[in-house]
Amino acid sequence: MKMHIRQIAAEVYGGCNFKCPMCPQAEGRESSFKKKFPLNVFKKMIDEAVEYGLEVVSLQGSGEPFLRKDVHEYVEYVKKKNLKCITLTNGFHMTPELSRRILDAGIDSVRISATGYDRESYKKWMSSDSFDLVRQNTLSIKKIRDELGLKTDLHFYHLITDNNNIQKELKLYWDNWINYCDIPAEVWLMHNWGGTYSEIPYTRDMSTKKRSCGRPFSPYITVRAGGNEGRTGAVVPCCYVLGRDSEAVLGHIENQSLKEILNGDLYKDLRKKHKEDNFDQISYCKDCDQLYDNPDTLVWTNIPGKEYGQSKYIKDLDFRSFKNNG
């Protein structure tokens, strides 16, 4: 396989301070994955990936990056390599002090994940009575950004909690989050985390023929903070294998090169099965709703140019364009 890496999604830390019921992390993620991604291993990964065309690094996975008070050091190293750096946070630990650190480090984009359109629904879906705190932290980082004269992108990531009341939820998200904090947002239907969840509100149209999601062939890789057998930097096929990370590990950055992993037998076998539509032979893929086209799952957004299927930052990196590759 010709080596080409445009974006890496890498956890800074595999643990989380929330136990959201729509996230497998709440079910008890394997302890070997709930650890810090060592900075030296992270730097090794970035240095290697730069040689293969790396453009963007996403400091995200399942864990909460702001649980690491040194998260700005990861941002600094990415920016030192003249790359784009983005992150996703639940906003609870997005204090003014930590916000200033990552803004000073040069972060390009901060997405705040907030499921729950009012205080009551937020407490139910984020498992924390932090509705006002997260909104205040969002206003705070926005104020600091503006005072520093930066162009850092800030926006919300929301999920619909009841597919039968989409318009109601959209209005409340607008009133209580988007308009209140005056930043853009993207609102999605929930996905089923590789088949881990099957009941409402996870139901999507899965009546069409399965096809590859395209991720095994794309120049986008996902790296966990921890790994199997005490290792760190586990490379997995995508973010949706959360909750079954150990069975989806394709290699470890700690003791392997990116070239060895991406051209290794495990990755080759995954691509072969996707190319031949043998999804039922892949435990973590066979029930995943990403094997079906559902463009309407991006319910609403006012982020310019944002479309279903895109990478979170590289507008021309659309996973659908790789679904028949191999």
Side-chain angles (χ1 to χ4, degrees), residues 36 46 60 106 125 137 190-191 209 290 312:
K36 178 185 177 182
I46 299 301
Q60 63 189 68
W125 288 100
N137 284 348
M190 294 188 188
H191 57 77
K209 184 179 182 298
Q290 301 300 306
K312 297 297 185 293

Side-chain angles (χ1 to χ4, degrees), residues 217-254:
F217 311 108
S218 74
Y220 182 115
I221 64 173
T222 301
V223 184
R224 301 307 200 193
N228 290 334
E229 300 176 350
R231 296 191 179 97
T232 57
V235 176
V236 295
C238 67
C239 63
Y240 301 109
V241 301
L242 180 63
R244 52 185 69 181
D245 288 304
S246 61
E247 65 189 87
V249 171
L250 301 167
H252 293 88
I253 301 293
E254 177 184 295

